[in-house]
Amino acid sequence: MPAHRSFYAARGKRWFDLIVTIPALILLAPVMLVVALLVRVKLGAPVLFRQVRPGWHARPFTLYKFRTMRDAVDATGRPLPDAERLTHFGKMLRSTSLDGLPELWNIVHGDMSIVGPRPLLMQYLDRYSPEQARRHDVRPGLTGYAQVHGRNAIDWQERFRLDVWYVDHVSLGLDLRIIAQTVGKLFTREGVTQPGQATMEEFQGDRSP
């Protein structure tokens, strides 16, 4: 683990996020409007999916994404499994990452970064080993090192290993490389789901160091 944070990790990364994300929000506003209208027509309201996730130093924040699942419950009123609620339209949004466009606002607000470990669920926090928990030593990202090395197709241990490796090697060059690789992955749509899962199986915990 590095003895100290580089200037880029400490300050430059945030500046880079704002320089890139603010113009991107403006340019992508028409696309976001079209996607919002399609979500409203195909899935109904609400258009946005909101969920509290752990951010930098595990501080909670509200994540924004376009909704990809329909409201469907069983006879007891409990939501049906993801595989039954995720529509073809929702799968398309996820495979193209269009569902994540509202996260640009999270970046501008300072909750997230363009590149970093993906923000997961609050209930995972007490399931991490001390080493895995270091993924929260940087802001979570719209894309990340694990996303360009398998996305949801890799297992949890490998994902966390890649996340922590990124934390220890943050640099402008690495971020630019991950962004470029992410653009390429959008065209191939690799690793969108884990084999046999609608998205990715729940992380049950691994307390080994």
Side-chain angles (χ1 to χ4, degrees):
M1 184 170 58
H4 64 277
R5 301 179 74 199
S6 67
F7 174 79
Y8 176 76
R11 295 178 180 270
K13 187 171 174 63
R14 179 63 183 151
W15 296 350
F16 175 74
D17 286 339
L18 293 175
I19 289 169
V20 173
T21 304
I22 292 175
L25 265 175
I26 296 171
L27 291 172
L28 291 171
V31 176
M32 294 175 70
L33 178 60
V34 170
V35 174
L37 290 173
L38 288 172
V39 171
R40 182 66 177 83
V41 170
K42 292 181 175 293
L43 297 174
V47 168
L48 291 179
F49 168 80
R50 300 173 175 87
Q51 189 175 60
V52 175
R53 300 283 181 94
W56 192 21
H57 300 312
R59 290 193 292 263
F61 72 97
T62 301
L63 176 80
Y64 297 97
K65 300 181 75 170
F66 282 121
R67 181 181 171 200
T68 59
M69 293 187 183
R70 62 190 179 94
D71 290 325
V73 296
D74 61 20
T76 65
R78 299 180 61 181
L80 293 175
D82 289 354
E84 296 181 42
R85 294 188 296 125
L86 185 60
T87 65
H88 179 74
F89 172 68
K91 290 178 182 178
M92 183 276 294
L93 289 182
R94 290 188 177 201
S95 67
T96 57
S97 295
L98 289 172
D99 65 315
L101 288 178
E103 292 176 59
L104 293 173
W105 167 248
N106 285 123
I107 297 173
V108 172
H109 191 257
D111 303 319
M112 295 177 60
S113 179
I114 296 173
V115 180
R118 286 294 295 160
L120 300 175
L121 300 178
M122 293 296 295
Q123 61 259 38
Y124 291 178
L125 288 177
D126 62 1
R127 303 177 188 178
Y128 295 137
S129 69
E131 178 70 4
Q132 291 167 347
R134 291 207 297 118
R135 69 192 308 277
H136 294 292
D137 288 352
V138 296
R139 286 182 176 88
L142 182 65
T143 186
Y145 192 65
Q147 276 57 54
V148 297
H149 289 84
R151 201 171 175 180
N152 290 331
I154 57 178
D155 63 31
W156 284 114
Q157 285 68 35
E158 178 64 7
R159 171 186 283 211
F160 294 143
R161 186 190 69 79
L162 294 170
D163 286 343
V164 172
W165 186 93
Y166 174 79
V167 169
D168 290 341
H169 295 85
V170 174
S171 70
L172 176 59
L174 178 59
D175 280 1
L176 290 173
R177 189 160 69 249
I178 291 171
I179 292 170
Q181 290 176 320
T182 299
V183 173
K185 294 287 184 181
L186 291 179
F187 291 100
T188 61
R189 303 186 185 183
E190 295 176 358
V192 177
T193 62
Q194 194 173 48
Q197 302 288 329
T199 51
M200 189 165 185
E201 66 179 351
E202 182 178 353
F203 174 58
Q204 298 296 337
D206 178 5
R207 302 297 297 176
S208 60

